[in-house]
Amino acid sequence: MVDGRLNSEERKAQIISAVIPLFANLGFKETTTKLIAEKCGVSEALVYKHFPRKEDIYTEIHKFCCDKSQDDKNELTNMEPSTQSLVMIIFTIVYSIYMNIEKDPEEAKNFKRLMFRSLLEEGDFAASFHKSHFEPWIPKIEKCIEAAVKSGDINATISPRLSIYFTHHIAVCLNLYSLPNQTVVNYEKEKEEIANEAILFALRGLGLSSQAIQQYYNPNTLLSFFKKYK
Amino acid sequence: MVDGRLNSEERKAQIISAVIPLFANLGFKETTTKLIAEKCGVSEALVYKHFPRKEDIYTEIHKFCCDKSQDDKNELTNMEPSTQSLVMIIFTIVYSIYMNIEKDPEEAKNFKRLMFRSLLEEGDFAASFHKSHFEPWIPKIEKCIEAAVKSGDINATISPRLSIYFTHHIAVCLNLYSLPNQTVVNYEKEKEEIANEAILFALRGLGLSSQAIQQYYNPNTLLSFFKKYK
DNA sequence: GTCTATAGTAGGATAGAC
DNA sequence: GTCTATCCTACTATAGAC
């Protein structure tokens, strides 16, 4: 194999990244130790030297995925609580979850599969990922919603937290139904248009007035802004 | 075992219904033939007599679930295309998917798990179920949306098909995140309130004016109507 | 210290013979 | 129905190569 000899840390990292697609596509049970060794280009014995049990690789993969997606959306933290920020955040949620801008599509798909598998198991990975990567944004979003209500851009009584999760769920479920190779749900639209409609649906769902949507939601502007900070 | 001797058809049916929770909770690979036999209260050989391969049981379960859920929502077919009907349909989607009125909770959970597993595999089950149980309602819903637009209750330009799927996806994803025993997402609300908020979010997302929502959406009335026809 | 090769245990899945 | 054979799996242990 190309790799030659690696030190302990390097080898561990190599095994982890090589094996992610296996666990993502086959699940825990169907990923055999033989397949793992083959995919890594090393002997089974070596794998066992670094990870005494198959389960250790699985949990390590989850940790790796949690660390890795340390998103750099930090610029959102500095945003003023406003309707414009709220629109930007909704756009970001849908685009980063469903459109996977500037991520390797294969890598993104593997991550999603691992996430959905977790939800069919104990949900540990999903829970810790959510707590560390999504939950922290909620207070910020709530403030934006507050600001939008104050400025009269939102004229419905909504639960901010639930509304955010509904938006999140639409994006997640669009992913879920796009996982299989065949068409499960026929949306009859291109991916970009689906994302655009989803954002509009969510903005209306959040109670934004049509004037506010027209004023603050411009897909092209937001996209260029989004790309700039990614 | 209680069952005693059954003829071929009865035994097949008994095996199928006994084994659903196994495949739903453990997946294909982790459901061993031994477990299957134990759960059915028969020998492994007898199982193999009726289903030559383990896979045959799995596919039979999918067929069984597709047939079984021949929902009796047929009264919806007779509804006039109107805003009121649209609201009723959105209510029905959220309630039948997320609230599982008048279904055994365990049975409902098994069905969901099978569905989500299918989406991580080839998606055959999910695709055929969708085609036979959800897709047929779409033309009806589209007509209701048309009627609502005409009567001025909807004042946004939306894609009817996508909007319906977004509503569907919210309900499905609420299920998905409720599958694990631990709390993955903290909604901070009771299930019924979540459903109520989801319906309101969807109605606004569909572009319904707040007047129309106030006029046509009354949870208690709809619930009693829904229960009556179930 | 990194790695391979090989041999082997214990147990489960599948399936045929009886 | 039981018994048995075959294959595959997770995992261990050792001996030695670079």
Side-chain angles (χ1 to χ4, degrees):
Chain A
M1 274 288 147
V2 169
D3 297 281
R5 283 163 182 263
L6 304 176
N7 67 34
S8 187
E9 251 179 65
E10 288 170 331
R11 180 58 74 194
K12 266 185 142 174
Q14 187 255 339
I15 291 172
I16 289 300
S17 58
V19 135
I20 285 176
L22 285 183
F23 280 109
N25 288 301
L26 300 175
F28 183 75
K29 195 83 180 207
E30 279 175 276
T31 299
T32 66
T33 52
K34 193 183 173 184
L35 272 174
I36 291 171
E38 275 173 15
K39 187 87 181 184
C40 298
V42 297
S43 68
E44 269 192 73
L46 186 61
V47 176
Y48 273 100
K49 182 150 268 172
H50 294 288
F51 302 96
R53 296 169 311 153
K54 188 181 155 188
E55 220 191 308
D56 297 333
I57 312 180
Y58 199 50
T59 53
E60 199 60 33
I61 281 177
H62 287 158
K63 272 192 216 162
F64 176 80
C65 284
C66 271
D67 294 349
K68 196 164 176 275
S69 328
Q70 279 306 354
D71 22 35
D72 31 19
K73 296 182 208 148
N74 292 5
E75 74 281 358
L76 290 183
T77 331
N78 304 323
M79 279 179 162
E80 281 301 304
S82 68
T83 308
Q84 179 65 77
S85 299
L86 178 63
V87 173
M88 180 67 199
I89 288 167
I90 297 301
F91 178 88
T92 305
I93 289 173
V94 174
Y95 260 68
S96 60
I97 293 175
Y98 181 51
M99 297 296 278
N100 303 114
I101 296 285
E102 302 194 22
K103 261 192 202 171
D104 174 40
E106 271 313 300
E107 202 181 299
K109 206 158 187 175
N110 287 333
F111 173 80
K112 289 168 198 170
R113 284 184 178 277
L114 287 173
M115 181 65 73
F116 291 129
R117 284 194 190 282
S118 165
L119 288 164
L120 277 170
E121 296 158 6
E122 298 307 312
D124 291 349
F125 174 46
S128 70
F129 185 86
H130 232 76
K131 204 163 186 181
S132 62
H133 288 77
F134 197 77
E135 196 73 24
W137 295 105
I138 293 193
K140 182 79 186 177
I141 307 177
E142 285 177 329
K143 273 180 196 159
C144 287
I145 292 175
E146 251 177 64
V149 170
K150 250 185 197 160
S151 65
D153 291 323
I154 287 181
N155 40 34
T157 42
I158 60 162
S159 158
R161 175 173 281 261
L162 286 177
S163 300
I164 297 156
Y165 276 123
F166 295 153
T167 306
H168 168 274
H169 284 3
I170 291 172
V172 167
C173 216
L174 285 169
N175 276 330
L176 182 59
Y177 279 82
S178 308
L179 276 187
N181 289 321
Q182 69 179 297
T183 304
V184 178
V185 162
N186 184 12
Y187 297 110
E188 289 184 356
K189 292 275 161 63
E190 291 303 310
K191 198 169 178 181
E192 195 151 347
E193 196 172 346
I194 297 171
N196 186 42
E197 286 273 356
I199 292 164
L200 285 166
F201 186 89
L203 292 176
R204 287 191 301 265
L206 276 155
L208 253 78
S209 66
S210 36
Q211 295 100 310
I213 292 175
Q214 202 158 15
Q215 184 178 352
Y216 295 110
Y217 179 56
N218 182 322
N220 294 329
T221 315
L222 289 177
L223 187 57
S224 60
F225 188 82
F226 183 84
K227 277 183 173 166
K228 192 173 155 196
Y229 282 92
K230 264 287 172 185
Chain B
M1 273 291 147
V2 168
D3 297 281
R5 281 161 182 270
L6 304 176
N7 67 33
S8 185
E9 251 179 65
E10 289 169 332
R11 180 58 75 194
K12 267 185 140 174
Q14 186 254 341
I15 291 172
I16 289 300
S17 59
V19 136
I20 285 176
L22 286 182
F23 281 108
N25 288 301
L26 300 173
F28 182 75
K29 195 82 183 209
E30 279 175 276
T31 299
T32 68
T33 51
K34 193 181 175 185
L35 272 173
I36 292 171
E38 276 174 15
K39 188 90 182 182
C40 298
V42 298
S43 70
E44 276 192 64
L46 187 60
V47 176
Y48 273 99
K49 181 156 266 172
H50 294 287
F51 301 97
R53 296 168 313 155
K54 191 177 151 190
E55 219 190 310
D56 297 332
I57 312 180
Y58 198 50
T59 53
E60 199 61 31
I61 281 178
H62 287 157
K63 273 192 215 164
F64 176 80
C65 283
C66 270
D67 294 348
K68 196 169 177 270
S69 327
Q70 278 306 352
D71 23 36
D72 33 19
K73 295 181 209 152
N74 292 3
E75 75 281 0
L76 288 183
T77 331
N78 304 323
M79 280 179 162
E80 280 301 303
S82 67
T83 308
Q84 180 65 76
S85 299
L86 178 63
V87 172
M88 181 67 200
I89 289 167
I90 297 299
F91 178 88
T92 305
I93 289 173
V94 173
Y95 260 67
S96 61
I97 293 175
Y98 180 51
M99 297 297 278
N100 303 114
I101 296 284
E102 301 193 23
K103 263 191 200 169
D104 173 41
E106 271 314 300
E107 202 182 300
K109 206 158 188 176
N110 287 334
F111 173 79
K112 289 167 196 169
R113 284 182 177 278
L114 287 172
M115 181 65 73
F116 291 131
R117 283 193 191 284
S118 164
L119 288 165
L120 277 169
E121 294 158 6
E122 298 307 313
D124 291 349
F125 174 46
S128 70
F129 185 86
H130 232 78
K131 205 165 184 178
S132 61
H133 289 76
F134 197 78
E135 196 73 25
W137 296 103
I138 294 194
K140 183 78 187 177
I141 307 176
E142 286 176 328
K143 273 178 196 159
C144 287
I145 292 174
E146 250 176 63
V149 170
K150 251 185 196 161
S151 65
D153 290 323
I154 287 182
N155 40 33
T157 43
I158 60 162
S159 158
R161 175 172 280 262
L162 286 178
S163 300
I164 299 156
Y165 277 124
F166 295 153
T167 306
H168 167 274
H169 284 3
I170 290 172
V172 166
C173 217
L174 284 170
N175 276 329
L176 181 59
Y177 279 82
S178 309
L179 277 188
N181 289 321
Q182 69 178 296
T183 303
V184 178
V185 162
N186 184 10
Y187 297 111
E188 290 185 354
K189 292 275 161 64
E190 291 303 310
K191 200 170 176 181
E192 195 151 347
E193 195 172 347
I194 297 171
N196 186 42
E197 286 273 356
I199 292 164
L200 285 167
F201 186 89
L203 292 176
R204 288 192 299 266
L206 276 155
L208 252 79
S209 67
S210 37
Q211 295 100 308
I213 293 175
Q214 202 158 15
Q215 184 176 351
Y216 296 111
Y217 180 56
N218 183 321
N220 295 329
T221 313
L222 289 177
L223 187 58
S224 60
F225 188 81
F226 182 84
K227 277 182 174 166
K228 193 174 153 194
Y229 282 93
K230 263 287 173 185

